[in-house]
Structure formats: structure tokens, C-alpha cells
Amino acid sequence: MLAPSNKAALVKVPARHLLRGDVTGSGEVVLSVSVGAKTPRGMVDVLLQKGERKRAAIWNARTIIGVRRGVEPGSEPAPVCEPSEIPLSDRLPTFHELAAFDAGKAWDRLSPEQQRTIGMLALRFGTVGQCDGYFHETIEGVRKGFSSSHWTSQVQATAVWPRLHIELVESAARASFEALCEHFDPLWPQLFGWQDRKEVK
């Protein structure tokens, strides 16, 4: 996470609202944000550059990204803060925290109500979300689809649906993933054990 400076304001915006010139936490500069014919619905195609290296990324349009705005090209980046200097609401986990993340311990830190809510969101994503991509308007589409080659002909036939039904399932799948992500963000301090800093929001 980068600290704000006089030249650049740190803001958190959905990926769809990124602007040309925004600088991400990894130091990459946003060159463009677009939604094209080949971009999955609910996603944005982001072109990024760091030094001479450019890359394209497909991000969920509602994913919250922390960026610096108002940075002059060629200016020095703001200094990197220690995690302890960053408010819990803005902090990202470190590499070591992610690599050593213990889901069992994190689950035990949650209250029964939180466990129930997350469990229901996970079940919805694991069922509705996992079905995204299986259904097609034609049997040929099904046979070319993801992970369908092992199905019998009878099972493949059950995956032929009207376009409207397919779109509704795709929309529900995206919504289930977004709901799961949005619910997790405020829980990071608890899930990663940062609460011992006693910061109250």
C-alpha cells in the first residue's frame, strides 16, 4: 500500500472507475480501462504499465482497487508504508500473511453469526457460481464447453438451455462471487488476526 503525498491522493475505487494515469499499489500505471466484445460481462479489461513492461488484466468491474491519483509522469513514487502504519480498513495482507494463511484458525476467530453468513455465501457461490459456463444454447456449444467432455450424451443434453436462462445463471454466478468478495473485505482484520491492534472503526 502506498502512502498519500502532496502530489497524489490515495483513493479506493471500483475497477470500472479507474482512470488513465492512476498508479496501483504495485506501482503499475493504468493506461486504459475498457469493456470490449470479448470481455466477460461484469469484467473490465485493464492495460497496465510498469517501466517498459505492459500487461493486460481482466478484473471484476466492482473489485475495489487502491490507487494514487494526480501523479506526474516520471515523478518519484510515494514511500511504502509499514503495515502497522496503515489503517486496518485500507491494509492489504503481506505476501507472508497470504502464504501462511490458516483458514481453520481464521474460521475459529469468527462468531457463529459470521460463520453462518459466510457459509451461506460460500454455498451459493459454490453451487450457482460453479455452474457458470456449463450451459449453452446448442449441443455443440455444450460439447465445446468447459469440463463437459466426460459427460454422457444424455447429461450433455440437459445443459442445452434458452439464452435468457443462461444469462440469468451467469448474472447470478457473478452476483454470488461479488457478494462473497464484498463480505470478506471488512473481515480481513479479523481473518488475518490484525485485531490485536485494537483499532476501532
Side-chain angles (χ1 to χ4, degrees):
M1 197 69 138
L2 298 170
S5 69
N6 292 333
K7 293 183 179 179
L10 181 65
V11 294
K12 295 172 78 173
V13 296
R16 68 179 177 275
H17 292 158
L18 289 170
L19 301 176
R20 181 180 174 85
D22 284 347
V23 179
T24 67
S26 61
E28 294 175 295
V29 178
V30 176
L31 299 181
S32 66
V33 180
S34 63
V35 178
K38 295 183 179 179
T39 306
R41 188 171 301 159
M43 311 293 275
V44 291
D45 191 353
V46 184
L47 183 61
L48 301 157
Q49 180 174 7
K50 186 172 185 180
E52 297 298 314
R53 181 176 168 269
K54 291 183 182 179
R55 73 178 181 99
I58 303 290
W59 288 343
N60 188 304
R62 295 179 64 183
T63 297
I64 301 299
I65 310 291
V67 296
R68 288 183 296 128
R69 286 214 166 136
V71 180
E72 296 298 323
S75 64
E76 290 297 316
V80 176
C81 292
E82 291 297 319
S84 60
E85 299 170 356
I86 300 171
L88 293 183
S89 57
D90 290 336
R91 181 178 166 184
L92 291 172
T94 65
F95 167 78
H96 295 292
E97 286 172 328
L98 283 174
F101 182 71
D102 186 325
K105 286 183 181 178
W107 183 263
D108 292 341
R109 290 188 190 106
L110 300 174
S111 69
E113 294 79 14
Q114 290 172 318
Q115 290 174 346
R116 176 175 168 76
T117 301
I118 288 177
M120 289 189 299
L121 289 168
L123 283 174
R124 182 157 184 80
F125 174 65
T127 52
V128 177
Q130 190 169 334
C131 287
D132 186 17
Y134 280 109
F135 303 99
H136 301 271
E137 293 179 88
T138 65
I139 193 67
E140 291 77 19
V142 172
R143 289 175 179 154
K144 291 178 185 175
F146 175 69
S147 294
S148 62
S149 60
H150 65 283
W151 293 351
T152 64
S153 297
Q154 292 86 351
V155 173
Q156 290 176 354
T158 65
V160 178
W161 283 16
R163 167 53 41 195
L164 176 61
H165 292 182
I166 295 169
E167 290 176 351
L168 289 172
V169 167
E170 289 173 348
S171 177
R174 285 191 302 276
S176 68
F177 176 71
E178 290 167 4
L180 191 62
C181 290
E182 288 175 8
H183 190 80
F184 267 77
D185 283 354
L187 290 178
W188 277 12
Q190 193 171 349
L191 295 172
F192 283 101
W194 301 338
Q195 291 288 40
D196 57 350
R197 287 173 49 196
K198 306 295 184 188
E199 180 171 333
V200 178
K201 291 292 177 187

